[in-house]
Amino acid sequence: MTTLPYETDTETTMDREPRGTTAPTRPTAEGTGADEAAKRRLLMLAVATVGFALNFWAWALLSPLGPRFQEILELSSFEQSLIVAVPVIVGSVGRIPVGALTDRFGGRVMFPLVSAATIVPVLYLGLSGHTSLAGLLIGGFFLGIGGTAFAIGVPFVNAWFPPARRGLAIGVFGAGMGGTAISALTTVQLVKDHGTATPFVITAVALALYAVLAYAVLRDAPGRTVPSQPLLRRLAATARLGITWQASALYAVAFGGYVAFSVYLPVYLRTAYGLEQTDAANRMAGFVVLAVLMRPIGGWLSDRFGPVRVLAASLAVVVVGAVMQSFTLDLAPQGTVAFLSMAVALGAGSGATFALVSLAAPADKVGSVTGVVGAAGGLGGFLPPLVMGAVYGATDSYAIGLALLALVAAAALVYTLTGVRRAVERHNA
């Protein structure tokens, strides 16, 4: 038999593939390494997202109990709003130094550290701090530490994923804000069934277990850019970046609107529609869950169509929804449609904002930029509950507060279509 050119004398019949078939692809060391890297990225994303959710769960513990504290401690509407707003502002401003520290020390150090530190105010509030207004304000101040976890996760996840997938990855991480939904769905019922301390103790245990898990499992991305400049100099450099303030303005509206509704919606629904506390908390949880689900979708859409388009569409929906609800529509169905539409838009817009950050921020300043932007988002959520409470106390109506939201969202929409769009076009040129 004549030997074909591609055959060798040592080849056996079993070595040959039947004619007309394709040889199966054999795994290579390179392919196996790529698969392992992908699995590792997903593991880091999953653990970071769980940590974000648990810290946000702790951060939001006071909101569902606001009406209860108002009744027991005989608080005014403003004092009740202040109780739920204090953790928000502390957690927001705290993101600035925490984001910069994450750039320096990495998520493996910062996630366990922040989670462990949050345990202290959680236990204090559950065991004794809830018995007075002063105790609630002091405990709420330190409870804000949990809200800083966001500024840890964004640079941590951003470093693990390639640019083309960062929008989706950061959006998935951002879905950890659903920790507020856990709080809304469980806190009131646990207090009713087992006493005020129960949800706080459960949350503290969960945070302790996570701190151990994070220290054991989390690893910072290989080749992560570690800044060498001192903290204050890095923050000053971050303040000079255009993307810092562009994203801050947009996030103050998108995430700020989400935070405002997630902490104030139970009060709004009880006051405007006379709902029971549990019913109001459950409806707030539905709002939160929908916004959470839309956050990774907003990131994914930004990867495909660009963050500017996603942000513009989201802000337009917020304008329409806020205008509709300023007339205090019937809750079923018009009011529900307005609120759920805004939940979709605010979730998608929050995801798109950090797709914009991952696109335009320098690699060694993602944490610092995230800290400032995250602070702006939290501050955007701090002011509306206070404004809504003050407006309702003065006018016995929420119409002016919702009209102000519509005006702010409309201004952000115009800015997105002009200044932000031009900045992105220059960056991509």
Side-chain angles (χ1 to χ4, degrees), residues 48-61 64 95 150 170-187 251 255 258-259 262 281 284-296 347 350:
T49 303
V50 169
F52 181 32
L54 290 176
N55 279 278
F56 252 45
W57 176 12
W59 194 39
L61 279 170
R95 291 173 187 175
F150 178 73
I170 294 174
V172 170
F173 168 77
M177 68 186 189
T180 54
I182 300 174
S183 181
L185 290 170
T186 62
T187 302
Y251 203 57
F255 185 71
Y258 161 80
V259 170
S262 68
M284 184 270 274
F287 179 98
V288 167
V289 167
L290 187 55
V292 166
L293 292 175
M294 287 304 302
R295 185 153 183 160
S350 297

Side-chain angles (χ1 to χ4, degrees), residues 25 40 75 80-81 94 110 159 163 172 184 196 210 284 309 354 371 376:
T25 303
R40 192 168 182 80
L75 305 177
Q80 180 188 353
S81 300
M110 296 301 295
V172 170
T196 303
Y210 176 76
M284 184 270 274
R309 291 180 180 176
F354 275 93

Side-chain angles (χ1 to χ4, degrees), residues 95-325:
R95 291 173 187 175
I96 297 175
V98 168
L101 289 170
T102 302
D103 279 340
R104 177 66 180 86
F105 297 106
R108 192 201 176 200
V109 170
M110 296 301 295
F111 256 125
L113 183 62
V114 165
S115 300
T118 305
I119 295 171
V120 178
V122 168
L123 288 177
Y124 167 74
L125 285 166
L127 299 178
S128 64
H130 65 272
T131 58
S132 68
L133 175 60
L136 287 168
L137 292 177
I138 293 169
F141 181 90
F142 291 100
L143 190 65
I145 295 171
T148 67
F150 178 73
I152 303 171
V154 170
F156 177 81
V157 172
N158 188 80
W160 270 104
F161 283 82
R165 297 178 60 191
R166 283 177 183 162
L168 176 59
I170 294 174
V172 170
F173 168 77
M177 68 186 189
T180 54
I182 300 174
S183 181
L185 290 170
T186 62
T187 302
V188 173
Q189 196 60 47
L190 285 170
V191 168
K192 283 184 176 180
D193 294 344
H194 306 287
T196 303
T198 304
F200 294 90
V201 172
I202 291 173
T203 307
V205 171
L207 286 169
L209 293 174
Y210 176 76
V212 175
L213 172 69
Y215 187 76
V217 175
L218 288 182
R219 296 292 183 274
D220 291 304
R224 181 179 73 90
T225 304
V226 180
S228 56
Q229 292 180 323
L231 175 63
L232 292 178
R233 188 176 298 176
R234 282 188 284 125
L235 290 175
T238 299
R240 290 193 293 269
L241 294 173
I243 181 61
T244 302
W245 304 111
Q246 292 159 2
S248 292
L250 297 174
Y251 203 57
V253 178
F255 185 71
Y258 161 80
V259 170
F261 280 123
S262 68
V263 300
Y264 199 73
L265 198 54
V267 178
Y268 173 88
L269 292 174
R270 289 198 72 194
T271 306
Y273 294 101
L275 299 185
E276 293 295 325
Q277 182 178 343
T278 303
D279 189 14
N282 287 340
R283 289 175 185 269
M284 184 270 274
F287 179 98
V288 167
V289 167
L290 187 55
V292 166
L293 292 175
M294 287 304 302
R295 185 153 183 160
I297 294 175
W300 175 75
L301 289 171
S302 297
D303 286 340
R304 291 178 60 86
F305 303 109
V308 171
R309 291 180 180 176
V310 179
L311 280 162
S314 300
L315 291 166
V317 172
V318 173
V319 172
V320 174
V323 168
M324 289 174 57
Q325 195 53 34

